[in-house]
Amino acid sequence: MALIVQKYGGTSVADAEKIKNVARRIIERRKRGDQLVVVVSAMGDTTDDLIKLAREVTEQPSERELDVLLSTGELVTSALVTMALRHMGYEAISLSGLQAGIKTDANHSRARILDIDSTRMRKELESGKIVIVAGFQGVADDMDVTTIGRGGSDTTAVAVAAGLRADVFERYTDVEGIYTADPRFVPEARPLRDISYEEMLELATYGSKMMHPRAIELAGVYDVPILVVSSFTESPGTLIHGEVSMEIRNKVRSIAHDLDVAKITVVGVPDRPGIAAAIFVPLAEAGVSVDTIVQNASINNITDLTFTVAKSELARAMKVVEPITRSIGARECVSDARLGKISIIGTGMQNNPGYAARMFSTLSEHGINIQLITTSEIRITCIIKESLVKDALRALHRAFRLDEKT
Ligand code: ADP
Ligand code: ASP
Ligand code: MG
C-alpha cells in the first residue's frame, strides 16, 4: 500500500461541481488501495476576495487577524471536499494546519514552515480515513494561526509529502503539466514530460506563477518528485525531479514571462564607495524587494544605476529613492512602470554562447529593444516593453523550436 500526497489548486476547487470532481479523483486513487493525504487551496479567488473584504473594513488590517481571516479560505475547501467524500461513501476527515501539525515561525503572512508533527495525520490514515489538509496555513509556538505567503499551499503540500515520506506527490491543476511557456499566452506551448528542480525553480521565480518557488526549493532539498497533472483530463503530466536525461540537458526547455516589472534609474550618480549602500539599505529597511540591479561603467566618475521592483512597490520605492537622489548629488531619478520580463531557461545553457546570441537576434528581428539583461547559469532574462512581451514570447518559442516534440 503506497502513501500518496495530492494537492489541488484553487482553480480545481473553484465551485461545488469542481469539488465533487476532485472527490471523484481522490476516490479513484483510493480504490487502488493507497493511503491518501490531500492538501487543498482556497476556492478560486477566495483569498483575493478576503483581502479585499479586510481592506473595506480597515486600510491596515492587523497581520495576525488577516492571517486568521485568510486561513478560513482553505478551511472551507477542506470541509467541503471531506463532505463530498463522505457523501460518496468514503471515510474522510478535514484537518486545519494546526491539527495537521504544521509548525511555523511567527512571521504573519509570510511564515516559514519549521517542522511537521505528523502524529495526527498518521493516526487518521491508520484508522482508514482519507485526510484532507487545509493548505497555506500553520501554527506558531504561541498557537496563533499563521499563513505562509501567497501560493503557499504548494509549500504545505511538499512539506507534508516530505514529512510523511510519501511514495508519490501529485500536484493537480487546470492545465496538463508544466508547459514550454504559459499556454494562456502561447497557444503552441506544449507540456514537458519532465523538468529538473533547478529549471523549475527558475521558471517559478522568473514568472510562471503556477508554482511557488519555495515549494520547488523544498522539493529539491528533500528530493520529493512532483507530478504536475490536470484535474480535468487524463494526461501523463510533467514530472519535476532531480534526474533529467542527458539529451534534454542541452536545450532551452521553457520560456517564462512576468508582466509585473517596474524600473527605476538614478541618473548621474557620483561613482564613489558607499553609493549603492546609500540607496539599497533604505529600500531594504522600507521592505521593498529589489530585483535586477545594473550599474553602468562610469564616465568621468559619473554613472547611472538602474534596478527593478514589482509594479505595486514602485510608488513606495520612489518615495525612498527621491530624497536619496538629492542627498548623494545624483542628477535625477526616473521610473517606468510599463515593462515586462522574458526568460529562456534550460540546464546546459552554460558554456554555450549560442543561446544568448539566438535570443538577442530573435528579439532584434522583431524590432524589440532590450532594456536590461541578467543571467544565471541556466537562464537569460531580458527586460523589454510590457506591450511587446507576448510577441517576444511567441517569437522565442519558435526560434528555440519549443513547439516541436522532444
Ligand atoms: P492552481 O489553481 O492549480 O494553483 P494556477 O492558476 O495558480 O493554478 O496555475 C495554473 C496556471 O499557470 C495555468 O492555467 C497557466 O495559465 C499558468 N502557467 C504559467 N506558466 C505556465 C507554464 N509554464 N506551464 C503551465 N502553466 C503555466
Ligand atoms: N489561497 C492562497 C493564495 O491564493 C494559497 C494557495 O492557493 O496556494 O495565495
Ligand atoms: Mg496557484
Side-chain angles (χ1 to χ4, degrees):
M1 184 170 46
L3 171 55
I4 314 290
V5 172
Q6 296 186 334
K7 184 256 173 176
Y8 290 90
T11 46
S12 302
V13 291
D15 57 36
E17 261 329 297
K18 289 186 172 150
I19 284 183
K20 288 190 222 167
N21 170 60
V22 162
R24 284 189 287 270
R25 290 250 156 183
I26 297 171
I27 289 168
E28 272 168 40
R29 242 2 241 260
R30 179 68 176 162
K31 282 185 180 155
R32 292 194 217 164
D34 297 326
Q35 287 185 318
L36 273 158
V37 175
V38 179
V39 177
V40 290
S41 285
M43 296 168 68
D45 297 328
T46 302
T47 309
D48 289 329
D49 296 342
L50 289 171
I51 292 172
K52 253 187 246 148
L53 193 58
R55 295 260 145 80
E56 281 171 29
V57 173
T58 164
E59 251 177 41
Q60 280 203 312
S62 127
E63 285 199 317
R64 180 188 184 280
E65 300 313 322
L66 194 58
D67 272 0
V68 173
L69 181 70
L70 297 193
S71 69
T72 63
E74 271 68 11
L75 291 177
V76 168
T77 318
S78 65
L80 290 173
V81 171
T82 305
M83 286 175 197
L85 287 167
R86 295 178 68 94
H87 179 80
M88 294 174 192
Y90 284 77
E91 281 287 310
I93 187 167
S94 65
L95 297 178
S96 67
L98 182 152
Q99 291 168 316
I102 319 281
K103 306 206 164 155
T104 72
D105 63 24
N107 286 313
H108 286 290
S109 83
R110 53 186 179 284
R112 290 211 155 238
I113 297 177
L114 300 176
D115 190 24
I116 307 255
D117 176 356
S118 55
T119 318
R120 177 76 187 269
M121 286 191 283
R122 288 202 182 278
K123 183 179 138 225
E124 301 299 348
L125 286 172
E126 268 145 38
S127 73
K129 292 195 184 78
I130 301 167
V131 178
I132 312 296
V133 176
F136 176 56
Q137 58 186 275
V139 63
D141 270 351
D142 57 6
M143 301 299 273
D144 273 357
V145 172
T146 53
T147 65
I148 62 172
R150 296 304 308 270
S153 295
D154 286 325
T155 313
T156 306
V158 173
V160 165
L164 289 170
R165 292 189 186 79
D167 299 294
V168 177
F169 171 41
E170 298 166 343
R171 198 271 190 201
Y172 286 83
T173 184
D174 64 338
V175 289
E176 296 187 340
I178 306 298
Y179 286 54
T180 46
D182 186 341
R184 271 184 293 208
F185 285 74
V186 184
E188 312 78 52
R190 27 166 223 93
L192 296 163
R193 204 152 41 105
D194 67 351
I195 187 165
S196 69
Y197 294 124
E198 347 161 48
E199 288 168 332
M200 190 60 211
L201 186 58
E202 295 275 3
L203 191 55
T205 309
Y206 282 84
S208 163
K209 301 273 184 296
M210 81 165 314
M211 274 196 82
H212 201 275
R214 250 166 65 205
I216 316 288
E217 227 168 15
L218 205 63
V221 170
Y222 290 95
D223 197 16
V224 177
I226 306 174
L227 184 64
V228 181
V229 263
S230 165
S231 296
F232 306 109
T233 62
E234 300 298 329
S235 59
T238 306
L239 187 67
I240 308 171
H241 62 150
E243 309 117 42
V244 171
S245 66
M246 278 312 283
E247 74 255 40
I248 56 180
R249 279 206 155 261
N250 258 327
K251 285 205 166 75
V252 169
R253 308 292 320 288
S254 59
I255 306 179
H257 76 279
D258 185 354
L259 298 175
D260 187 15
V261 184
K263 177 179 86 167
I264 297 179
T265 304
V266 189
V267 185
V269 182
D271 193 6
R272 58 167 192 261
I275 289 289
I279 295 173
F280 295 112
V281 171
L283 280 170
E285 281 166 1
V288 176
S289 68
V290 171
D291 186 27
T292 309
I293 302 176
V294 178
Q295 183 180 321
N296 294 350
S298 72
I299 301 172
N300 297 333
N301 279 334
I302 298 285
T303 181
D304 294 341
L305 214 148
T306 302
F307 59 93
T308 61
V309 295
K311 283 178 183 158
S312 57
E313 306 223 311
L314 179 60
R316 211 147 47 92
M318 284 298 275
K319 241 193 212 159
V320 175
V321 175
E322 270 166 345
I324 299 172
T325 305
R326 286 190 294 275
S327 71
I328 59 176
R331 184 141 46 90
E332 61 174 339
C333 142
V334 291
S335 68
D336 184 350
R338 293 176 312 274
L339 298 176
K341 209 187 281 177
I342 186 146
S343 307
I344 58 170
I345 294 159
T347 37
M349 294 203 327
Q350 67 260 55
N351 311 325
N352 198 333
Y355 293 105
R358 199 185 312 171
M359 182 178 198
F360 303 152
S361 53
T362 303
L363 293 175
S364 105
E365 278 155 24
H366 287 77
I368 297 168
N369 185 40
I370 303 170
Q371 305 205 11
L372 292 175
I373 301 167
T374 66
T375 61
S376 80
E377 283 181 351
I378 64 164
R379 171 186 53 80
I380 304 171
T381 299
C382 293
I383 291 177
I384 59 176
K385 255 196 189 156
E386 180 181 354
S387 56
L388 299 176
V389 164
K390 196 169 179 181
D391 288 347
L393 260 176
R394 294 189 71 178
L396 291 170
H397 199 268
R398 261 194 313 275
F400 287 99
R401 298 187 169 166
L402 291 176
D403 39 357
E404 292 170 18
K405 257 194 141 37
T406 41

